[in-house]
């Protein structure tokens, strides 16, 4: 009987375009650390979570390649094939937006071209730019018609995301085109790392928060999602086959700038935190 490798949590980062495991502030290039058995391409590394788990279990025997503090991290999932966004998925946010609660998930596309890293600048190019901190789930094993009960088995990990939105652009057509309004270049920072879901005591209850220039704007917990992560995976996979690396931005809680007409300005610094994942810091440019 084959020996079983105990499942271990892992933390995956993108260092100069290469997949790296992170432990205690140090990073380990996965291709080097695995002697070439795991690809350095973050999109390919995501396909072998069991190998990442096994490698993670051996990290204490290996020499780190460097300190995370000394590198600029890229998006942990740099080239998702599809990137889904969910609108109005917290009651509090639907209320502040004067919108009815959706009967089915309100789904839009964040074009993969808008995905950037956890410290990337946001090029606003508008006076109606807005922030939305969100839990982003990353598909591991893809599939079609995934039952709700199996959904978490298809998620390789979670990360933090900002669903930056240009409200004027979002509502400049009737019906509104959420996809364009949320897909300007640089409007999709994710990171700082991808954390495997087994690192959470309960991945359905994760705190998330956001500050702008140090001022608290958003704070909630994913237990308050209207459509749960499992429901979203089941729903989306009933329509479109999900693939490794696909992203789901699961929705934002109340406190967005549009509600208070407090839009983002050049020089603003957005700090977004997802419990157990870490913090992204993004500065706005004009
Ligand atoms: Zn959003």
């Amino acid at each position: 009987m084959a020996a079983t490798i105990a499942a271990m949590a892992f933390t995956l980062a993108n260092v100069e375009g290469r997949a790296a495991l992170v432990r205690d502030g140090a990073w380990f290039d996965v291709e080097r650390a695995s002697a070439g058995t795991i690809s350095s391409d973050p999109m390919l590394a995501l396909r072998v979570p069991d190998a990442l788990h096994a490698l993670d279990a051996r990290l204490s025997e290996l020499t780190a390649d460097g300190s995370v503090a000394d590198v600029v991290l890229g998006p942990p999932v740099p080239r998702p094939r599809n990137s889904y966004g969910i609108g109005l998925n917290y009651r509090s946010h639907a209320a502040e937006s004067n919108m009815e609660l959706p009967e089915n998930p309100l789904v839009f596309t964040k074009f993969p071209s808008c995905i950037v890293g956890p410290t990337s600048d946001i090029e606003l190019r508008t006076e109606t730019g807005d922030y939305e901190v969100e839990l982003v789930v990353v598909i591991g094993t893809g599939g079609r018609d995934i039952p709700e009960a199996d959904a978490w088995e298809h998620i390789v990990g979670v990360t933090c995301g900002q669903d930056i939105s240009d409200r004027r652009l979002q509502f400049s057509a009737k019906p509104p085109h959420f996809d364009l309004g949320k897909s300007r270049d640089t409007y999709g920072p994710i990171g700082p790392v991808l954390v495997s879901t087994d690192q959470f005591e309960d991945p359905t209850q994760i705190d998330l928060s956001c500050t702008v220039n140090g001022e608290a704007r958003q704070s909630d917990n994913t237990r308050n999602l209207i459509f749960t992560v499992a429901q979203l995976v089941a729903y989306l996979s009933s329509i479109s086959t999900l693939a490794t690396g696909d992203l789901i931005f699961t929705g934002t809680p109340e406190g967005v700038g549009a509600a208070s007409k407090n839009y983002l300005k050049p020089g603003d610094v957005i700090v977004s935190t997802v419990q157990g994942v870490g913090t992204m810091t993004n500065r706005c440019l004009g």
Side-chain angles (χ1 to χ4, degrees), residues 86-87 108 132 134 163 165 182 249 251-252:
I86 310 298
F108 57 89
E132 295 190 351
E134 310 201 357
D163 177 19
S165 309
K182 290 163 172 283
F249 284 71
T252 202

Side-chain angles (χ1 to χ4, degrees), residues 98-112:
N98 295 316
M99 304 277 229
E100 284 179 33
L101 293 182
E103 288 178 21
N104 296 294
L106 170 56
V107 182
F108 57 89
T109 301
K110 269 187 98 66
F111 300 161

